[in-house]
Amino acid sequence: MKSGIPPGHSRLARRLRDELDGEVFFDRFTRGRYSTDASIYQIEPLGVVIPRHAQDVHRTLAIAADAGVNVLARGGGTSQIGQTVAEAIVVDTSKYLNHVLDLDTQARTAWVEPGLVLDQLNKYLKPHGLFFPVDVSTGNRATLGGMAGNNSCGARSIRYGNMVHNVRAIDAMLADGSSFHFGEVDPETLATEDNVRFRDLTRQMCALGKRERDEIALRFPKVLRRVGGYNIDVLTTSRPNLARLLVGSEGTLAFFNRIQLDLQPIPPHRVLGVCHFPKFKQAMESTRHIVELAPASVELVDRTMIELARDIALYRPMLERFVKGEPDALLFVEFSGENHDEQLAKLRELSDLMATLGFPDSVVEAVDPRLQNAIWEVRKAGLNIMMSMKGDGKPVSFIEDCAVPLEDLAAYTERLTQVFQKHGTTATWYAHASVGCLHVRPVLNMKEESGAKKMRAIAEEAFAMVREYKGSHSGEHGDGIARSEFHEFMFGSRMVKAFEEVKDAFDPGGLLNPGRIVRAPRMDDRRLFRYMPGYRTDGFRPVLDWSPWGGFGGAVEMCNNNGACRKAEPAVMCPSYRVTRDEQHVTRGRANSLRLAISGQLGPEAFVSEDMRATMALCVSCKGCKRECPTGVDMARMKIEFLSHYREKHGLLWRERLIAWLPRYAPWAARLPGLLNMRDRIPGLARLSEKLLGLSARRALPRWRRDFFDYRREPDAPDPAMGEAGEVVLWVDTFNTYFEPENARAASRVLQAAGYKVHLLRPGDGGRPLCCGRTFLSAGLVDEARAEARRVLSAVKPYLSRGMSIVGLEPSCLLSLRDEFCAMLPGEATARLAERAMLFEEFLAQAQKSGSLHLALQPLKEKRALLHGHCHQKAFGVMDSVQQVLGLIPDMTVETVESSCCGMAGAFGYDAEHYDVSMKMGELNLLPAVRKSSSDTVIIADGTSCRQQIRDGSCRESMHVARVLDAALRQSVR
């Protein structure tokens, strides 16, 4: 990948910047981030335009036409076949062109901009009792423009159809800048059309449909899931709808400005049956019988997906709720409608049918909407769960969504499995059994020439089989690069010429996303691959252990560009993207930049460049991606790796030194709290610290305490007076030692009251308190953090040998013992510590579960609690423990804030340059929820930085769960 602006395009870049109100990028890092989508392909664009309004799009098209360069429309960039990568100006509509423009509840229609995300539309529609029914699995980041461009389908297409059946009209611009309304055509009024270009275009299309009517009837597959080629079959009707010709055109015909959608009423009742099959073939044979019950959806999940999902912390608890035993396949069968009793009756019919087919007691019924949502979440994540396979071999999308008639489904899957075996591979199966469109991905190593050869051989055999069954080789995800070249094989040369006629009529200059649908390149041209010939990452020498992924390169390559990190609704991942809406500041964008840098595609020294620093700057190390990214991309750990190399070359700022070395100088600083706290008491000092150190004057620094927690003066608790429950080790981190010692003392009292002998974790040499090294890691000082880890390992060794748990209070610190310690010092000692290291609330919840916890808690005067989870609590799946122990307090109602990072993120929120972004993160969900809560509500947050953000952003005080339990405990002894 060349550095800077592509040769010969500096004038183009300058003109776009001068004439557009939107954002224009031609730098090598941005081009790199937009060179991939969720497919196996990688093509560097000329530049990237983020338009603010439709006029920006118009100007971009005009400038591109004048310069003779291509244009590519892009939304979420989740295309799996290579539709959204090209040597073109990429126009990303997702940041600004994302609004509902008009809603007609009576007609059940809505006009939307192309960058609007499906889930955001449905959230907007829900109060009106409506929804858009093309429910793609990527609905939390897929844009409506992209869905229309691909002719997307979704799990319930058997009832609602595809995008082509649900788009009423499109206002679009052609490559020459002309704008037209495309909708249903009335041949009788066409002669009165004033615009000659539109009149001639429409007449040409109607004539094509009339001329090719018989050939279309002969060649087009008679299956619902046919999205290959252009939808010229719509031209054969008496009143053709040209908007539906544009649907599925993959940005090759026009640029969508506005899309009119047909909406549906939300079914008031839904029930779900999970059918278990001991053999995959049995599920395929049963599908056509199940469809006769008129379900809204029948979706497949195979054994491979089940096993992979069980290895992902986010999905494991869900599977335990609805998977019985070790099935080879599951079918999710949904019924929906107006009458709940009728849906329950359908479930009984399903169970009876399964028994008749030879599978009695094989249906798990899900009537509770929450359980149904959990099951559907697993199904929606199917693709990404499969891509969580470690190693160079990955499930590859190219015959991903072939569709065959239901009566041929079992034979097709069995024969295709034999094809995979012949080529020495296996495959994963999932998705739309109801319409004969199963997503199948052979596992191939696309870094090797042999992978490309196997891909082509399998494709040719699979498509021949599909044609034999009179099916469709493109059933949902479009044509892109992977399938466009096979249209002549599927449709015949006459139909391909008709497709070319459509392309040339709309875009005679061939400027809009060329090489897709017509005149395509070979699908196995490795020069177009993400892992092109000569691709290597083995020259990179990491400082952390990445061996589970086969190295740092393997870990970075786990990002398959699925875009789950771009999801719009509240969740942990990815807070920086949620406030900036920039591809640079999302997990996918960072992973792409890292991969391109370590493989040498961004030029020498790219990994430690200022561009890379800017790319990683807004990563708050929340670890949301570690849990919520379906492929487990841990950007927080990758940031440590980057910072270590970057600091080695560039050194540290004074602010970074001050924060990093806090654990080392804290014992001396704690002796001068009055002096150190003067910064926030004397006017002008805060501004001076911002000028000299970059610490925001708008933030108060943590207050040093005279009564800090001194392990030398805090003796181990005596044996409990009665009912001894055992022994436990309490480790007090740096922050709770020096800034909030009341948390540590409260935790000790609660543990003692529960019947435990409490040992304080002390350094063996009697020196300064133990530290996890988190502050050093945040600055990239891995060697210093490793030294701290060794001190901790030495101190815990005698306790671990006795099987005791190590309990901590600060999530980011304690969970480092389970995470970063293993990456810094892999081995048996850290593995044992990781097994026994627990947060305070985890330890109590585990004791309660085993029936050994006895706490005499009494009601508090506050009856309501608002709980905010620290990012790492969410990332490690321990929020249930907090809720569980709070449930021990009588009469207490606990509400959990659905939020991502609070925005403070350790030192991040103290940086002057990050303050505004930090507050925007807090304002997404957390701070409004706190302000909305009543004054007698207890605000609970276990993270010290979270408590600081709540104080700064809402003027409310929050408490660690240990203090809340301690207060309820002290109520009982008054």
Side-chain angles (χ1 to χ4, degrees):
M1 186 167 295
K2 306 175 183 70
S3 62
I5 297 176
H9 291 293
S10 57
R11 181 177 178 274
L12 174 64
R14 184 167 56 251
R15 187 176 173 190
L16 287 165
R17 291 192 180 106
D18 289 343
E19 298 186 28
L20 270 58
D21 294 328
E23 301 162 19
V24 177
F25 302 96
F26 272 68
D27 64 282
R28 60 184 184 178
F29 269 70
T30 301
R31 298 197 328 265
R33 283 186 280 270
Y34 280 86
S35 67
T36 52
D37 54 14
S39 71
I40 62 173
Y41 300 103
Q42 175 178 303
I43 304 175
E44 179 187 318
L46 301 176
V48 177
V49 168
I50 316 291
R52 289 187 181 273
H53 42 65
Q55 189 60 30
D56 273 347
V57 177
H58 185 272
R59 290 171 184 161
T60 299
L61 289 171
I63 292 170
D66 186 50
V69 300
N70 302 323
V71 176
L72 168 64
R74 176 162 162 147
T78 60
S79 296
Q80 298 174 27
I81 310 298
Q83 294 96 318
T84 54
V85 291
E87 187 177 349
I89 298 172
V90 173
V91 182
D92 182 351
T93 63
S94 63
K95 185 172 183 179
Y96 298 116
L97 303 183
N98 53 18
H99 301 93
V100 178
L101 301 173
D102 181 71
L103 172 64
D104 187 333
T105 57
Q106 295 300 314
R108 293 179 183 168
T109 63
W111 280 99
V112 301
E113 290 184 305
L116 179 66
V117 170
L118 173 63
D119 279 5
Q120 291 176 319
L121 171 63
N122 282 331
K123 183 178 180 180
Y124 178 90
L125 296 174
K126 188 174 182 179
H128 303 281
L130 299 171
F131 82 120
F132 185 63
V134 184
D135 55 337
V136 295
S137 61
T138 54
N140 58 11
R141 68 265 196 196
T143 62
L144 275 303
M147 291 172 60
N150 277 0
N151 194 5
S152 297
C153 304
R156 297 175 176 87
S157 62
I158 190 175
R159 170 167 293 186
Y160 297 108
N162 311 342
M163 282 295 291
V164 71
H165 307 111
N166 292 278
V167 171
R168 182 172 296 193
I170 296 176
D171 289 349
M173 278 184 277
L174 304 188
D176 61 9
S178 55
S179 298
F180 301 119
H181 173 82
F182 293 94
E184 189 175 90
V185 174
D186 184 351
E188 294 182 3
T189 62
L190 186 59
T192 63
E193 172 61 49
D194 293 332
N195 191 292
V196 175
R197 172 82 166 98
F198 183 75
R199 185 175 66 238
D200 291 347
L201 177 64
T202 304
R203 281 176 171 171
Q204 184 178 355
M205 292 300 100
C206 291
L208 184 150
K210 184 177 181 180
R211 185 188 75 219
E212 302 296 339
R213 184 191 311 272
D214 293 342
E215 187 73 5
I216 290 171
L218 176 66
R219 291 290 190 174
F220 274 39
K222 306 301 188 293
V223 292
L224 174 65
R225 292 303 194 90
R226 183 208 60 77
V227 303
Y230 292 121
N231 293 321
I232 59 175
D233 54 325
V234 305
L235 302 175
T236 62
T237 63
S238 60
R239 296 172 65 92
N241 188 324
L242 293 191
R244 292 176 178 174
L245 175 63
L246 294 182
V247 171
S249 62
E250 300 184 4
T252 63
L253 303 182
F255 195 106
F256 302 167
N257 286 336
R258 308 195 313 157
I259 307 167
Q260 188 181 32
L261 305 172
D262 285 323
L263 311 176
Q264 296 292 336
I266 298 173
H269 301 290
R270 283 176 175 159
V271 296
L272 185 64
V274 181
C275 303
H276 291 59
F277 295 89
K279 297 295 181 183
F280 179 86
K281 185 179 179 181
Q282 295 168 334
M284 297 298 91
E285 292 171 336
S286 301
T287 300
R288 59 192 178 99
H289 302 294
I290 293 174
V291 167
E292 293 176 1
L293 298 178
S297 174
V298 183
E299 295 286 292
L300 168 73
V301 170
D302 77 348
R303 175 186 289 273
T304 301
M305 183 170 153
I306 295 169
E307 292 175 350
L308 287 171
R310 281 173 170 159
D311 289 336
I312 300 174
L314 182 63
Y315 302 113
R316 189 182 308 115
M318 298 182 190
L319 263 69
E320 292 174 353
R321 299 175 64 185
F322 67 86
V323 178
K324 299 192 303 183
E326 300 293 333
D328 206 38
L330 302 173
L331 288 178
F332 297 170
V333 184
E334 181 183 270
F335 301 97
S336 62
E338 298 289 331
N339 189 307
H340 190 50
D341 289 337
E342 289 180 5
Q343 309 315 316
L344 294 175
K346 286 286 188 181
L347 268 186
R348 291 192 292 271
E349 288 184 44
L350 177 65
S351 294
D352 293 342
L353 173 62
M354 288 291 289
T356 301
L357 295 173
F359 311 106
D361 301 320
S362 62
V363 179
V364 172
E365 297 184 354
V367 178
D368 178 16
R370 289 172 297 182
L371 177 57
Q372 292 179 44
N373 289 338
I375 294 172
W376 280 120
E377 281 302 310
V378 174
R379 158 59 195 95
K380 286 182 177 181
L383 162 64
N384 301 322
I385 289 173
M386 291 191 300
M387 296 304 292
S388 67
M389 288 184 181
K390 293 184 174 69
D392 289 339
K394 293 284 195 299
V396 179
S397 176
F398 59 100
I399 54 170
E400 163 84 6
D401 52 339
C402 296
V404 299
L406 279 182
E407 58 268 25
D408 300 316
L409 189 59
Y412 167 69
T413 54
E414 186 172 33
R415 287 177 62 189
L416 196 53
T417 298
Q418 293 171 0
V419 171
F420 301 149
Q421 292 171 348
K422 183 178 77 172
H423 292 284
T425 188
T426 58
T428 55
W429 300 84
Y430 74 105
H432 317 301
S434 60
V435 288
C437 181
L438 292 183
H439 295 338
V440 54
R441 291 194 166 203
V443 178
L444 299 171
N445 182 358
M446 300 310 294
K447 292 182 178 180
E448 298 178 351
E449 179 69 27
S450 61
K453 290 181 178 179
K454 287 181 180 180
M455 179 178 73
R456 183 163 199 96
I458 292 171
E460 291 176 348
E461 293 184 56
F463 294 158
M465 201 182 307
V466 169
R467 188 179 181 190
E468 177 185 335
Y469 288 123
K470 301 186 184 306
S472 170
H473 68 327
S474 289
E476 178 173 12
H477 294 152
D479 297 330
I481 299 174
R483 288 195 282 264
S484 292
E485 68 160 301
F486 294 100
H487 285 337
E488 186 166 353
F489 178 81
M490 180 61 59
F491 295 104
S493 59
R494 183 171 173 174
M495 281 293 90
V496 168
K497 289 178 181 177
F499 294 158
E500 291 175 352
E501 183 179 340
V502 173
K503 169 66 173 176
D504 294 341
F506 278 85
D507 180 24
L511 298 180
L512 298 179
N513 201 13
R516 310 299 176 265
I517 300 182
V518 298
R519 306 182 181 104
R522 285 177 61 91
M523 58 95 76
D524 56 335
D525 185 347
R526 293 191 68 210
R527 294 171 299 177
L528 305 179
F529 284 10
R530 189 181 307 178
Y531 305 124
M532 61 195 68
Y535 176 91
R536 295 183 65 182
T537 61
D538 53 7
F540 182 81
R541 295 292 178 263
V543 296
L544 298 175
D545 177 42
W546 299 94
S547 57
W549 295 268
F552 183 64
V556 172
E557 290 161 5
M558 289 300 295
C559 176
N560 70 331
N561 282 264
N562 65 73
C565 43
R566 290 172 57 101
K567 58 188 177 184
E569 294 306 300
V572 180
M573 181 181 69
C574 176
S576 51
Y577 175 73
R578 290 186 67 200
V579 298
T580 67
R581 311 297 293 177
D582 291 334
E583 186 73 18
Q584 177 183 23
H585 300 304
V586 70
T587 305
R588 179 177 75 178
R590 297 182 185 111
N592 271 323
S593 296
L594 291 171
R595 178 181 58 82
L596 293 166
I598 64 174
S599 60
Q601 299 181 67
L602 295 178
E605 301 291 302
F607 187 74
V608 292
S609 67
E610 286 304 308
D611 285 329
M612 185 63 77
R613 183 201 60 78
T615 298
M616 304 299 290
L618 298 192
C619 172
V620 294
S621 300
C622 65
K623 287 191 177 290
C625 47
K626 178 183 174 69
R627 178 173 176 82
E628 294 188 7
C629 171
T631 60
V633 174
D634 188 349
M635 190 53 59
R637 185 182 292 187
M638 292 176 185
K639 184 175 182 179
I640 295 170
E641 186 70 52
F642 157 72
L643 285 173
S644 176
H645 294 262
Y646 180 83
R647 297 306 177 203
E648 184 176 347
K649 181 176 178 63
H650 298 280
L652 276 73
L653 302 174
W654 276 107
R655 175 186 68 203
E656 293 161 343
R657 293 178 184 274
L658 188 67
I659 295 168
W661 291 82
L662 172 66
R664 303 280 177 87
Y665 67 74
W668 291 271
R671 301 172 186 174
L672 303 168
L675 178 63
L676 295 179
N677 291 336
M678 288 174 62
R679 184 263 193 188
D680 295 319
R681 293 175 178 171
I682 298 178
L685 285 186
R687 290 187 179 180
L688 181 62
S689 75
E690 180 172 323
K691 184 176 181 180
L692 296 178
L693 299 173
L695 294 169
S696 175
R698 291 178 283 180
R699 289 278 191 202
L701 297 181
R703 290 181 60 250
W704 294 89
R705 298 280 292 271
R706 291 186 182 277
D707 61 338
F708 67 89
F709 192 92
D710 188 345
Y711 75 83
R712 298 179 184 86
R713 300 177 183 177
E714 305 272 353
D716 285 347
D719 291 344
M722 55 189 298
E724 182 162 335
E727 299 177 277
V728 65
V729 181
L730 178 63
W731 169 50
V732 184
D733 58 87
T734 299
F735 305 105
N736 282 300
T737 292
Y738 296 107
F739 304 117
E740 296 183 276
E742 60 272 19
N743 295 331
R745 295 182 178 116
S748 181
R749 286 193 292 267
V750 171
L751 290 170
Q752 291 178 58
Y756 291 94
K757 178 178 181 180
V758 179
H759 299 273
L760 296 180
L761 188 62
R762 297 179 165 88
D765 58 7
R768 60 181 174 81
L770 296 166
C771 172
C772 68
R774 167 65 56 186
T775 59
F776 288 117
L777 290 175
S778 68
L781 301 177
V782 175
D783 286 341
E784 299 297 338
R786 194 176 280 121
E788 297 299 324
R790 289 193 177 101
R791 295 181 72 231
V792 172
L793 286 170
S794 176
V796 300
K797 185 176 180 180
Y799 299 111
L800 292 178
S801 66
R802 294 161 58 186
M804 296 169 64
S805 295
I806 313 301
V807 172
L809 302 172
E810 173 60 32
S812 62
C813 294
L814 184 281
L815 293 171
S816 294
L817 277 55
R818 302 213 308 233
D819 190 344
E820 285 84 3
F821 272 38
C822 297
M824 290 189 291
L825 296 168
E828 182 181 350
T830 46
R832 290 179 61 197
L833 175 57
E835 291 176 357
R836 302 305 302 170
M838 306 178 72
L839 284 169
F840 169 77
E841 58 268 20
E842 280 187 286
F843 180 78
L844 294 180
Q846 187 179 85
Q848 182 194 21
K849 187 176 181 180
S850 67
S852 61
L853 181 66
H854 303 287
L855 281 173
L857 303 178
Q858 294 297 315
L860 296 171
K861 62 178 181 179
E862 301 90 351
K863 303 303 180 185
R864 298 186 62 83
L866 184 67
L867 172 63
H868 166 69
H870 187 284
C871 291
H872 293 188
Q873 286 176 301
K874 299 170 188 173
F876 285 83
V878 298
M879 280 300 295
D880 288 347
S881 297
V882 194
Q883 297 163 327
Q884 184 177 337
V885 297
L886 287 172
L888 298 174
I889 302 175
D891 304 329
M892 174 71 79
T893 300
V894 180
E895 176 188 356
T896 301
V897 182
E898 295 295 329
S899 63
S900 55
C901 180
C902 72
M904 198 65 181
F908 179 85
Y910 290 104
D911 298 345
E913 69 270 26
H914 294 150
Y915 176 83
D916 290 333
V917 171
S918 170
M919 295 309 298
K920 286 179 181 178
M921 290 181 186
E923 293 293 348
L924 287 171
N925 304 103
L926 172 61
L927 296 179
V930 172
R931 295 191 201 104
K932 186 179 178 181
S933 65
S934 61
S935 58
D936 60 349
T937 297
V938 181
I939 312 298
I940 303 171
D942 283 355
T944 182
S945 57
C946 304
R947 293 190 291 273
Q948 180 75 42
Q949 181 76 315
I950 291 170
R951 184 182 305 115
D952 290 348
S954 69
C955 298
R956 294 284 296 273
E957 293 296 323
S958 54
M959 301 172 66
H960 192 283
V961 67
R963 289 184 59 198
V964 179
L965 293 177
D966 184 46
L969 184 66
R970 285 184 283 120
Q971 289 281 93
S972 67
V973 297
R974 288 178 181 173

